[in-house]
Amino acid sequence: MLFGNTFHIFSYEWKKSCFKFHTPYSDLSYALEAEKGGARAILMAVQVHIIKYCLFVRNREENIPLQGLYEISQTEQENALAESLGDILWTAGEGRKATVCLVTTDTYITPNIDYKVDNLTERLQLFEFFEKEAAQKFICDHIQCFKGEGSHGVILFLYSLLFSRTLERATPHVFNGFQKFDSEGGVQELLHGVLARSDVGYLHWNKQEVEHYRPLQVGSMLKTPKLPIWLCNINRTYSVLFSTNRLLLSDWKMEHIFDLYLYNGQPSQKKTVHLTVDTHSHHWEKNHCEESDPEKRFPSVEMAIRTKWEGAAINWNGAVPFF
């Protein structure tokens, strides 16, 4: 299902990927380390839920200072990871069940000519849970299986996600509701999108897609989530945007001028980037008109934000724009 055949196996980068935090009590103590490669998309998707837990689940205040994300211990990091992984799996199982995959010493698949051994997939054991808290406690008790060096933690979580969601219910679409699609044979196919507002959101910007007039349209269910946290796919690189104000998306007056924070997981990022968004000035094109480099005139991070807040001016507060 992942690779389209049974001969392709996970690369070295995938196999070494696990859920590893930055140093506790540091400017990035809430953040997972994410190197380049396919596993980074999974890490950033989990990062969204870790921020959700740290800002809005364990705290009930409306507006939490960013400093609160810096004062996280190793135990709190592990709790946040377990809660987040369990939350994602339970949501994938539509609030009915979650499946957690761990590696055992036993082999459950007999090698044959049609299957390439990867010394991981054939040793999986599945644990099913029908209560969210039980799944989260099990993950917490086995947290080293996801965060330890050599644990293959990201692959184990990806497999857990597939089994929790089941292969029949997976859908790649990000538009609202349903859309009809005419396939080659003239048969109409019904495509399933997003049916309800998510807790966390998704923004998408790809320069090449826009240049070829094929931009992906993300629906309002994902652009306007219940909580102000977004997984961002910007030029096929994943990052996270978030606000510390729980009520940002509940009152349009708060969306005049507000702060967003950006974490992209790259080793070069040493602290959270602070952006100020002004949705009423509408002078953003004028500010960049002298720049000859298109990326400096229209930084992709800013263009991604403008898919949600059209025409907004964005101040990087001294940081150098990237992407």
Side-chain angles (χ1 to χ4, degrees):
M1 193 68 186
L2 283 172
F3 300 119
N5 59 59
T6 54
F7 303 108
H8 193 111
I9 61 173
F10 287 101
S11 66
Y12 170 75
E13 284 73 23
W14 267 96
K15 283 188 172 181
K16 74 171 187 172
S17 294
C18 60
F19 295 99
K20 182 182 179 184
F21 281 91
H22 285 268
T23 309
Y25 299 111
S26 70
D27 286 354
L28 292 176
S29 62
Y30 70 92
L32 295 169
E33 295 182 11
E35 296 179 11
K36 289 182 179 178
R40 179 175 167 164
I42 307 284
L43 289 163
M44 288 294 98
V46 172
Q47 181 68 69
V48 166
H49 287 263
I50 289 172
I51 293 171
K52 169 190 161 184
Y53 172 78
C54 292
L55 283 180
F56 303 124
V57 175
R58 69 172 189 166
N59 290 298
R60 306 314 302 174
E61 293 90 354
E62 292 179 0
N63 208 337
I64 298 99
L66 186 67
Q67 190 66 27
L69 286 181
Y70 302 162
E71 297 163 356
I72 296 177
S73 67
Q74 182 179 330
T75 301
E76 289 170 321
Q77 288 176 338
E78 292 176 354
N79 288 340
L81 179 59
E83 291 276 333
S84 301
L85 296 182
D87 187 28
I88 295 169
L89 297 181
W90 189 251
T91 302
E94 295 196 331
R96 293 198 292 268
K97 72 160 196 154
T99 301
V100 180
C101 298
L102 297 182
V103 178
T104 66
T105 53
D106 299 322
T107 299
Y108 301 103
I109 297 175
T110 307
N112 62 63
I113 196 168
D114 296 322
Y115 174 81
K116 187 170 183 180
V117 173
D118 66 7
N119 294 315
L120 173 65
T121 305
E122 52 276 355
R123 295 193 292 125
L124 291 180
Q125 187 171 355
L126 277 56
F127 299 85
E128 287 196 337
F129 299 91
F130 299 94
E131 292 179 353
K132 182 179 180 180
E133 291 75 18
Q136 288 172 322
K137 183 180 186 307
F138 181 83
I139 293 170
C140 194
D141 291 343
H142 296 84
I143 199 67
Q144 288 303 322
C145 297
F146 296 96
K147 71 183 286 281
E149 294 286 343
S151 66
H152 313 301
V154 173
I155 296 176
L156 289 180
F157 175 66
L158 178 56
Y159 275 145
S160 301
L161 193 54
L162 287 175
F163 283 112
S164 296
R165 183 64 181 164
T166 75
L167 307 182
E168 293 80 15
R169 286 188 291 121
T171 177
H173 307 298
V174 293
F175 50 73
N176 289 357
F178 300 93
Q179 286 185 9
K180 289 180 179 177
F181 174 74
D182 292 322
S183 57
E184 289 180 8
V187 179
Q188 272 205 338
E189 188 180 342
L190 193 64
L191 304 180
H192 291 243
V194 182
L195 303 180
R197 271 179 89 190
S198 304
D199 279 354
V200 295
Y202 178 71
L203 297 178
H204 181 99
W205 170 264
N206 186 291
K207 195 184 298 184
Q208 288 185 326
E209 288 176 6
V210 172
E211 287 171 354
H212 292 90
Y213 304 102
R214 292 184 292 105
L216 180 74
Q217 298 299 323
V218 178
S220 60
M221 296 294 188
L222 286 172
K223 277 189 189 175
T224 309
K226 294 176 184 175
L227 296 170
I229 314 170
W230 293 265
L231 175 66
C232 301
N233 181 347
I234 302 173
N235 298 327
R236 297 185 179 179
T237 299
Y238 287 85
S239 56
V240 180
L241 268 174
F242 63 96
S243 167
T244 58
N245 181 0
R246 181 193 296 269
L247 301 179
L248 175 66
L249 302 175
S250 303
D251 184 351
W252 59 270
K253 296 191 194 76
M254 292 188 183
E255 296 182 59
H256 289 179
I257 298 180
F258 55 94
D259 294 322
L260 289 178
Y261 300 96
L262 176 70
Y263 177 64
N264 68 4
Q266 295 181 6
S268 59
Q269 185 171 355
K270 303 302 180 189
K271 63 180 183 178
T272 309
V273 174
H274 174 201
L275 306 172
T276 300
V277 181
D278 182 350
T279 60
H280 277 210
S281 70
H282 300 294
H283 297 311
W284 65 274
E285 288 191 39
K286 193 186 298 180
N287 294 343
H288 294 289
C289 62
E290 291 92 25
E291 294 282 359
S292 57
D293 182 349
E295 178 60 22
K296 289 181 178 175
R297 287 181 65 193
F298 310 113
S300 295
V301 169
E302 298 186 14
M303 300 309 288
I305 292 171
R306 290 184 190 110
T307 65
K308 163 69 179 155
W309 291 281
E310 188 176 354
I314 293 139
N315 185 343
W316 288 71
N317 295 306
V320 178
F322 49 82
F323 277 107

